Structure formats: structure tokens, C-alpha cells
Amino acid sequence: MTHHTRSADAEPRSRALPATPDPRPGDSPPDGVPLPEQALPEGAAPSPGQGLPWARVRAQGRPEDRARAVDRGQGQGRGQGRDQGVALEGGAEPGGGLVRFAVSSHTLRALASTEPSAEGTRLVRDVRRSKRLLLLRAVLDAAPGAEAAERWALLEEAERQDPEAVRDVLHYPATGVWAEETLRRLHASQGPPPDLAHLGALAVAAALRAGIGFKATLRPVGGRLALPTLGLLRPDRPGPLALTERSWDSCATLPLHALPGGRTALDDLDPYRAPPAAHPAPVRPARRLTPKGHKRWDTQWSGALTLLERYDSARADEIGRLLRTVVPLGGGTRSSGATLPAAAGSVLARAQAPPALAATLVHEVQHGKLAALADVLTLHTADRTPRLWAPWRSDPRPLEGLLHGAYAHLALAGYWQRAALYGARGAWAQHARVRAQVAAVLPVLRAQPQLTVTGREFVDGMAAAERTMDELPPPGDQHATARRALERERRAWCEAHPELAAFVQV
């Protein structure tokens, strides 16, 4: 069975974007800000395997003119076949480079299990790339004047020289936050103006990384010019800054901090690493760290990677493939981590001991995976009314939040089980507690009438993964002890929320 993307026959959405949702720490990221339907035809996306197709994206014409029908599975596009993972059906549209995502039952269940898989990782990355390209195209369409087109031209020139470098700049997590906020402001009747100058910063960063000759003039903010993936330029005088290919070497700079052991960066510099301050949020990024703070993060990150590679090498590899940046959380936050769908490939996390950081990374990466899947498949039709019990939180949760929380905790249960088999101290107790929580809410999720057929299959896949943990149970009565403790917590929650007690059990 193949699950196709949402039908494009749905009621057209407004082109203006809703307000940026807050990153929700602990159990669920916020709903992703939906792209305007003119910018993201459901079921269609630029081919993620063809670099950064600026010429092709432009050749598609205005977004409202693009093909919007969803192929129902009769084509034989690249990668299609029975249980062959991601099928990009229909190939490239004539002159447009659009493809249609379809997800086989094999891939859906692989993702539902939370276990890393090549096809699941490929789907997540392809969806993220396609969505980002269409979002950037929407910004270009809406941006007034010739300056944006000039910045775009510099991006295209850099892409011809070094496609991978430009791809990294444009798919950098913070670029997504900027693009969504900019598109929102471009269509808002009031409020702050769009920050189109940041498009120039993207173009300059891409040109510098591609090593091409160029000239551009940008205006630093607060005496600093942020260049995504590179860091900050600090000019020696105020006013507009003339830039060339030698600027990064000739100006005072503050480079982005690279974490040990891979391509993940610790981003405490980019102004769009988290939502703008105008949006209230339960978590806030830390200010720029000191060298001592960077060293502390290096130590904790290296320790966490060591534990992940020791206990669950597949998850360590998945984190390396899906996580581009870690954004340090500011002091005072009670959350260990959070995820912002607009910043795909990023996790907000506070400094913590390596065992806790490893668990946070496992947890938060699942939110990013599920957010990408929800961009191409409708798993439920529920609203945001909070009425369901989530054992890991004290407040009622909507179906979306409960699904995200259960999914992330399912991965944690698996991680702690593997850690326990390697003798990690306290891991069996952690596994028993988290697994009991997941087992308690899966029947509630399965019974929700708002689940779609695809959503029900996804939850069934989660339940199957939870049942396989019976093959390696914790010693003694730890699982039973965890279930008894959870039942006490459930009764206490129902007493505190008597009006919602009917939603707690099936």
C-alpha cells in the first residue's frame, strides 16, 4: 500500500501565514507554520535530488499557475515500487522540476517505529529540502523591487560554482525561521517590515563559501552582520558595509562554533536561530556564549555522542544526518530541549550532563521526523483543543501534542532499553517508566475518531514497536512497579481535571 500526499482539492488557504507558533518544550513541537497553498502545492515539490534548481523554480511561473493535481499512484516515477521506501512519483514536471511524494506502507511503518532507516531519513531530508525551496520561492514572488532579484542572482552564480555550499546556506535551520517570518510580514497589513536585507546576507554567505568574486553592500545591525553558516562580521565603523570575496579574511569575525565529531554547529549567533523576540515563547535562546561556555558544550556534546555511539549507533548516525545545529537555551528555562518546525534540522537544548543530553537529542530529533511526515501526510483532523492526558506533562494536550509526545517517548524507551543492555546505570528504571507512559496513551491515540486511515496505521506501527520491547524486559518487577506508579499519577490527574476524565481511558 502506498500513502499519497494530501489531496490538493482541499479548501485553498490564505496566502498570508499565521503567527509563528511557540516551540513547545518537552513533548511536542508546535504545529509547523503551513506554507501558503500557492507556495506549496500539496503533493508536489521541487526535486530534492537535483541541487538547488533556481532556474527551474523560476521556470515554473507564478505559484498559482503550477500543477496541483495529486497523482494517485499509477505512475512509475523514480524510486517507485512495492515497499521500496520513498517514491517520488511522476518525476519532474515539464519545465518545472516538480515531483510528487508518496510514502509506502513499509516506509510509514519504519518511521512509526522511530527506529532509524535509510528510507525514513531520506524522506525526512527530501521533504525538508522541497518545502524550503518552495518557501524561498514564495518570498521571492512576494518581495518588491529589484534588490531581491539581484540577491537571488548572486545565489544562482554561487550555486553554479559550489552547489553543496549554497545548499547548506539555504537549508540552514535558521534560514527557515527567517523565510517564514519574512513571508508573514510581506503579507501583513501592519506590523514590522520584512527583513529582506537578510536575503543579502544569505547571498553573501553563499558567495563567500563558493569562493566566487562579488561585490555587495549590506548594512550591519548593532555593529554586526550575521552571515548564516559562517558567523558574524564586525566592521570597524558604522554604516553600510561594502563586501567582496576577501571580506571574511579582512574584517574582524566571530565564526560559528563547530561541535566536535561532525557537521553539527552550536549556533549562538544567528539572529533567526529562534523566533523573533516579538513572539512570546516558553523557551528562549541563550545569548552569545563565552569561550568557556563553548568548551563546556564541546565536552558535553562529545560525551553524549560517545554514549549514543556505544548504546545505539543507528540513532547516533541518524542524529548526525538530521541535526545541523544545536541552539543553546537561555538560563531559567525548565525545559531540557525543544524543537521549532520552521528551523528544520535544529534542536534547542540547555547545557546538561552527557547522559541527559544524549536522551534529549534522541527525543527532539523524533519531533523533527514527525513534523516532516506531517507535511506530506494527513495523520489526523483534530483541532488544538487540549483535552488528553499526557503522562509526561501536567497540562492537558491536544491530539497533535499527544501524538508527538508518544512518538518521542517511544524512541526514548527504545534508547534506554539498549543503554540498559549495555549496563548503563539507572537505564532499566528509565526504560520501564517511559515505556509504561507510552503504553498507557497508545490505546487512547488509537481510539481517536479524528485519526485518518494513514494516522491509524502510523499509530498501529508505534504500538507494534512498543510490543517488541517485551522480548527484552527489565529484570525483576520494574515494569510492573512503573505501571503502578503511572496509575497513581493518572488518578491524581483525573482528580485535578474531572471534566476531562472521560478522555483518559478508552
Side-chain angles (χ1 to χ4, degrees), residues 444-469:
V444 176
L445 284 171
R446 183 63 171 77
Q448 297 303 306
Q450 298 94 340
L451 283 181
T452 63
V453 172
T454 301
R456 190 157 283 110
E457 183 177 351
F458 186 79
V459 172
D460 286 345
M462 291 173 59
E466 187 270 330
R467 288 192 299 270
T468 63
M469 296 179 188

Side-chain angles (χ1 to χ4, degrees), residues 83-87 102-112 117 119-123 373 458:
D83 287 344
Q84 291 182 354
V86 180
V103 184
S104 71
S105 287
H106 175 79
T107 301
L108 184 71
R109 286 188 167 264
L111 281 167
S117 66
E119 61 268 31
T121 298
R122 184 167 60 248
L123 176 66
L373 184 65
F458 186 79

Side-chain angles (χ1 to χ4, degrees), residues 113-325:
S113 74
T114 79
E115 295 296 325
S117 66
E119 61 268 31
T121 298
R122 184 167 60 248
L123 176 66
V124 170
R125 295 179 71 175
D126 286 353
V127 169
R128 287 175 175 177
R129 290 170 180 169
S130 298
K131 181 177 178 180
R132 180 65 57 80
L133 288 176
L134 287 164
L135 177 58
L136 291 168
R137 170 59 201 265
V139 171
L140 180 61
D141 283 344
E147 185 173 334
E150 293 174 2
R151 306 306 190 196
W152 228 234
L154 180 55
L155 282 165
E156 291 175 342
E157 183 181 353
E159 192 262 341
R160 286 191 289 270
Q161 176 67 25
D162 192 340
E164 187 59 37
V166 180
R167 185 180 299 116
D168 189 40
V169 171
L170 294 183
H171 295 284
Y172 191 67
T175 303
V177 179
W178 165 80
E180 288 197 358
E181 181 68 14
T182 298
L183 190 59
R184 181 178 302 105
R185 292 182 183 184
L186 282 166
H187 291 284
S189 58
Q190 56 185 3
D195 181 14
L196 291 173
H198 194 69
L199 180 58
L202 292 171
V204 167
L208 286 169
R209 291 192 54 183
I212 64 171
F214 72 94
K215 292 182 179 179
T217 300
L218 300 179
R219 184 178 291 276
V221 177
R224 295 171 181 172
L225 180 64
L227 298 177
T229 75
L230 290 175
L232 297 177
L233 276 178
R234 298 186 290 185
D236 55 6
R237 58 182 181 274
L241 180 63
L243 298 162
T244 70
E245 63 274 15
R246 295 183 295 275
S247 293
W248 186 257
D249 297 322
S250 60
C251 294
T253 61
L254 190 63
L256 190 68
H257 185 76
L259 289 166
R263 65 186 292 268
T264 305
L266 186 72
D267 193 344
D268 57 341
L269 300 176
D270 197 294
Y272 289 98
R273 64 191 184 276
H279 299 285
V283 293
R284 283 292 175 203
R287 295 185 177 184
R288 180 164 59 90
L289 301 181
T290 63
K292 183 178 179 180
H294 285 157
K295 185 176 180 180
R296 180 186 183 193
W297 262 100
D298 286 348
T299 301
Q300 294 174 341
W301 175 262
S302 296
L305 285 190
T306 298
L307 294 176
L308 285 165
E309 290 164 356
R310 179 187 304 163
Y311 300 149
D312 199 334
S313 59
R315 290 202 189 278
D317 181 70
E318 179 183 62
I319 289 169
R321 292 177 183 275
L322 296 181
L323 191 62
R324 180 65 177 88
T325 63

Side-chain angles (χ1 to χ4, degrees), residues 405-494:
Y407 186 67
H409 280 78
L410 176 62
L412 270 183
Y415 170 72
W416 284 122
Q417 185 180 51
R418 289 183 175 91
L421 294 171
Y422 276 89
R425 181 181 301 177
W428 275 125
Q430 291 274 28
H431 162 73
R433 177 182 61 84
V434 176
R435 186 189 171 189
Q437 292 174 336
V438 175
V441 301
L442 281 173
V444 176
L445 284 171
R446 183 63 171 77
Q448 297 303 306
Q450 298 94 340
L451 283 181
T452 63
V453 172
T454 301
R456 190 157 283 110
E457 183 177 351
F458 186 79
V459 172
D460 286 345
M462 291 173 59
E466 187 270 330
R467 288 192 299 270
T468 63
M469 296 179 188
D470 284 335
E471 298 172 5
L472 296 167
D477 63 348
Q478 291 188 64
H479 199 185
T481 300
R483 289 197 300 268
R484 288 194 295 270
L486 188 67
E487 177 58 23
R488 290 193 295 271
E489 294 173 10
R490 185 194 66 81
R491 289 197 297 268
W493 192 90
C494 289

